[in-house]
């Protein structure tokens, strides 16, 4: 089955520690995204990548970092600089390939709920 | 940045009733997407709309891409308990995807 796998489902960390969230897709999608979801709010874009070894900041990139060394993988690191890291994190991918494919819908993983105390 | 106003924020309906929700924006979009999210899960794509005026159905769901390209609505007919969840609209331009704040749907028997 093709899909997007996020792990772990739940993650607990102490304040001041960096933590990395995993996202893997076997859909052969070019583009991958990280969103943050807070209660009662829509999804906010953290980072996105349209091709291997390239990524762009989204609307709320401060305190986060990403890498895209492989097409299938787009890990997100929540650093200690992120002031309010407790949230539900969603990874997504789409079949975008260049500006002509911007209509491709996003497909989401099942999320990682991060709690920092 | 672009803003999407999604309404209503929440609604309680009885099983069997029809439901309607919509999204409006001051910006033009090339694509409208509707997603449903169950608690603790990722959003699942319901319907994608690619052309102004387009009306698309997926089972009991019908969505339309507004003629002005600034709005979209989603209708659910004959609701059932498993329709419970949060419904998100999303508008896409060449550069980004913007999500609405969601409509929380609760269905009572």
């Amino acid at each position: 089955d093709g899909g997007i796998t996020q792990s772990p489902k739940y993650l607990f960390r102490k304040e001041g520690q960096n933590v990395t969230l995993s996202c893997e897709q076997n859909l052969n999608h070019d583009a991958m995204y990280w969103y943050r979801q807070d209660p009662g709010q829509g999804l906010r874009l953290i980072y996105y990548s349209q091709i291997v070894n390239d990524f762009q900041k989204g609307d709320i990139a401060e305190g986060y970092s990403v890498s895209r060394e492989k097409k299938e993988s787009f890990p997100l690191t929540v650093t200690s600089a992120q002031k309010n890291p407790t949230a539900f994190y969603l990874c997504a991918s789409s079949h975008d390939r260049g500006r002509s494919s911007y209509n491709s819908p996003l497909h989401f993983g099942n999320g990682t709920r991060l709690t920092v105390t | 940045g672009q803003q999407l106003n999604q309404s209503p924020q929440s609604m309680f309906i009885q099983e069997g009733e029809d439901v309607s929700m919509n999204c409006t924006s001051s910006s033009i979009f090339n694509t409208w997407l509707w997603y449903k999210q169950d608690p603790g899960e990722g959003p699942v794509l319901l319907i994608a709309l690619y052309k102004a005026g387009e009306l698309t159905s997926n089972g009991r769901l019908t969505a339309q891409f507004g003629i002005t390209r600034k709005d979209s609505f989603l209708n659910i007919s004959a609701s059932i308990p498993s329709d419970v969840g949060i419904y998100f609209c999303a508008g896409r331009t060449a550069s980004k995807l913007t999500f609405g704040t969601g409509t929380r749907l609760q269905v009572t028997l």
Side-chain angles (χ1 to χ4, degrees):
Chain A
D1 279 339
I4 302 172
T5 302
Q6 289 187 243
S7 61
K9 181 75 173 170
Y10 299 95
L11 194 52
F12 296 87
R13 279 292 183 273
K14 293 283 192 189
E15 195 175 325
Q17 293 179 334
N18 291 356
V19 60
T20 297
L21 282 59
S22 167
C23 178
E24 304 277 331
Q25 54 100 359
N26 61 2
L27 300 167
N28 199 33
H29 283 173
D30 298 298
M32 296 186 74
Y33 310 79
W34 275 104
Y35 286 87
R36 171 185 171 131
Q37 186 176 29
D38 293 288
Q41 295 194 33
L43 281 65
R44 293 183 291 168
L45 181 64
I46 304 172
Y47 267 99
Y48 66 101
S49 166
Q50 292 182 302
I51 196 168
V52 174
N53 292 324
D54 187 47
F55 47 82
Q56 310 293 331
K57 291 182 179 180
D59 299 320
I60 55 165
E62 186 176 346
Y64 299 99
S65 66
V66 292
S67 62
R68 186 86 187 276
E69 296 176 5
K70 298 186 299 182
K71 188 176 184 178
E72 303 80 20
S73 178
F74 191 40
L76 173 75
T77 297
V78 185
T79 74
S80 56
Q82 167 51 234
K83 291 184 173 42
N84 187 17
T86 295
F88 190 50
Y89 290 88
L90 286 159
C91 178
S93 69
S94 69
H95 202 41
D96 292 351
R97 184 171 298 166
R99 298 185 70 83
S100 62
S101 302
Y102 279 108
N103 283 339
S104 302
L106 269 63
H107 297 269
F108 286 87
N110 277 332
T112 292
R113 184 167 299 281
L114 173 65
T115 303
V116 176
T117 57
Chain B
Q2 293 166 326
Q3 296 288 327
L4 279 185
N5 299 309
Q6 188 170 349
S7 65
Q9 279 191 322
S10 64
M11 50 198 316
F12 291 80
I13 60 167
Q14 288 203 319
E15 185 178 5
E17 286 184 350
D18 296 343
V19 173
S20 186
M21 58 192 80
N22 75 314
C23 272
T24 59
S25 173
S26 56
S27 305
I28 289 174
F29 291 105
N30 299 329
T31 302
W32 281 96
L33 306 169
W34 283 93
Y35 289 87
K36 179 183 180 233
Q37 185 177 28
D38 292 324
E41 304 292 328
V44 174
L45 181 68
L46 298 174
I47 292 180
L49 302 158
Y50 298 106
K51 203 162 58 170
E54 180 181 353
L55 184 71
T56 296
S57 292
N58 177 9
R60 294 177 296 105
L61 277 60
T62 302
Q64 184 157 31
F65 192 144
I67 287 289
T68 64
R69 294 169 63 195
K70 295 182 179 180
D71 63 335
S72 177
F73 71 75
L74 174 72
N75 287 342
I76 305 172
S77 62
S79 58
I80 59 178
S82 61
D83 290 335
V84 164
I86 303 177
Y87 292 79
F88 288 100
C89 63
R92 188 151 198 187
T93 64
S95 57
K96 69 184 295 186
L97 184 67
T98 303
F99 283 85
T101 51
T103 294
R104 182 180 296 274
L105 178 63
Q106 307 221 32
V107 180
T108 57
L109 298 173

